[in-house]
Amino acid sequence: MISVGIDVSKGKSMVAIFKLYGEILARPFEVAHTEQELHDLSAMILRFHDEVRVVLEATGIYHLPVVHYLKQQGIFVCVINQAKITTGKDG
């Protein structure tokens, strides 16, 4: 399985791609929230002939273009609500 972590901000995101157990497939790189760059990102993800899971944090509305585009391409996307995340230390 391949994990794609996306740190979303206004107009751009940082993306890192890993294999199971932490093997780095792509060091963090920036993607603008333009149609061309989201197309390039989805094409890169789809080239991995493996199960892929994209995970990103809900960021108001900034994550919506990324989620919408990737889901249109048939890519699994999981949006995490930071308020619901616990560290395991205190609950």
Side-chain angles (χ1 to χ4, degrees), residues 5-74:
I6 302 180
D7 183 18
V8 179
S9 60
K10 184 178 182 180
K12 64 182 179 180
S13 293
M14 289 298 290
V15 179
I17 304 174
F18 301 89
K19 264 188 141 177
L20 198 57
Y21 304 114
E23 179 186 343
I24 298 170
L25 297 177
R27 293 199 177 277
F29 60 95
E30 191 172 283
V31 173
H33 296 172
T34 64
E35 186 168 352
Q36 182 60 54
E37 291 203 24
L38 292 174
H39 168 77
D40 294 346
L41 175 61
S42 65
M44 173 189 276
I45 291 170
L46 291 170
R47 276 195 295 269
F48 296 113
H49 298 287
D50 199 346
E51 182 179 357
V52 176
R53 297 289 184 247
V54 175
V55 179
L56 53 93
E57 177 187 352
T59 54
I61 62 169
Y62 300 142
H63 69 284
L64 295 177
V66 178
V67 170
H68 182 71
Y69 195 90
L70 295 178
K71 288 182 100 174
Q72 277 187 325
Q73 305 308 310

